[in-house]
Amino acid sequence: MKCLLKCIGNIYADADMKKTFDVKRLTTLALLTTIALTIFVVESAIPTLVPIPGVKLGLANIVTLFVLKRYKFSDAAIVLVMRIILATIFTGQAVSFLYWVSLIVMAAVNKLLRGQYIFLTGILGAVSHNAGQILAAFFILRLSGIFAYMPFLVISGVITGLFTGLVCFFADKYIPKKYTM
């Protein structure tokens, strides 16, 4: 009887550990979503630094890159989708749904590079996002002249993607894993 009670206690302890882990992971992802949303809303209130439409820093992508580096693709997708939905509600920018293009590219590059060189993942994510913007604008406006913006958007994507990638690299290096895992 004593052995049976001990086994049942161990089963419940294991179930509680799993439940605690899921709650901790969910809470951490919710906090990271909140951080990304806050950065996005603040950045959208700042006027653009360059007079080229579609150019912005994309600082909220630092959080997406961080989650992609530390967690699974599905976790990064959850954080990104929640950020997009909430950002659309708070800022009224329905175009935010284009960010999916960059997540798919960033996930593929991150997997290909095995989590190394996160700055390259940031660059390719930013450039693919800009390419998605151009393609969406082309399909909406039906103007082939819109592709003239592409060189400027590629340059800005390389610069901003490098910046977000480097910030993510240092965040990953200096934020202890025990706080995020």
Side-chain angles (χ1 to χ4, degrees), residues 83 115 145:
R83 183 192 79 182

Side-chain angles (χ1 to χ4, degrees), residues 12-174:
Y12 280 115
D14 289 343
D16 287 342
M17 283 290 273
K18 178 80 172 142
K19 193 175 189 180
T20 303
F21 174 74
D22 290 341
V23 170
K24 182 178 179 185
R25 185 172 142 255
L26 179 66
T27 304
T28 303
L29 292 177
L31 287 171
L32 289 167
T33 302
T34 305
I35 292 168
L37 178 64
T38 303
I39 293 170
F40 182 84
V41 169
V42 168
E43 184 182 0
S44 67
I46 298 172
T48 56
L49 303 173
V50 228
I52 301 170
V55 173
K56 65 180 220 167
L57 293 173
L59 297 176
N61 288 329
I62 295 168
V63 178
T64 305
L65 278 171
F66 184 78
V67 175
L68 194 59
K69 177 112 171 93
R70 289 256 176 118
Y71 295 92
K72 300 181 291 191
F73 170 76
S74 59
D75 294 333
I78 289 168
V79 168
L80 183 66
V81 167
M82 292 309 299
R83 183 192 79 182
I84 290 170
I85 291 170
L86 293 170
T88 302
I89 292 169
F90 292 144
T91 63
Q93 297 176 1
V95 184
S96 300
F97 284 103
L98 290 175
Y99 293 126
W100 268 104
V101 175
S102 63
L103 177 65
I104 293 168
V105 170
M106 287 190 309
V109 169
N110 193 45
K111 188 162 184 86
L112 182 70
L113 297 175
R114 297 186 181 116
Q116 302 294 318
Y117 310 110
I118 195 72
F119 62 92
L120 287 176
T121 305
I123 290 170
L124 292 173
V127 170
S128 66
H129 171 71
N130 289 343
Q133 281 181 315
I134 291 292
L135 287 174
F138 174 73
F139 287 122
I140 292 169
L141 300 173
R142 302 278 186 210
L143 294 172
S144 60
I146 199 83
F147 290 105
Y149 280 120
M150 198 60 193
F152 301 109
L153 291 180
V154 167
I155 292 169
S156 74
V158 168
I159 293 168
T160 60
L162 178 64
F163 177 74
T164 58
L166 287 174
V167 171
C168 177
F169 171 78
F170 287 111
D172 182 52
K173 185 175 179 181
Y174 291 108

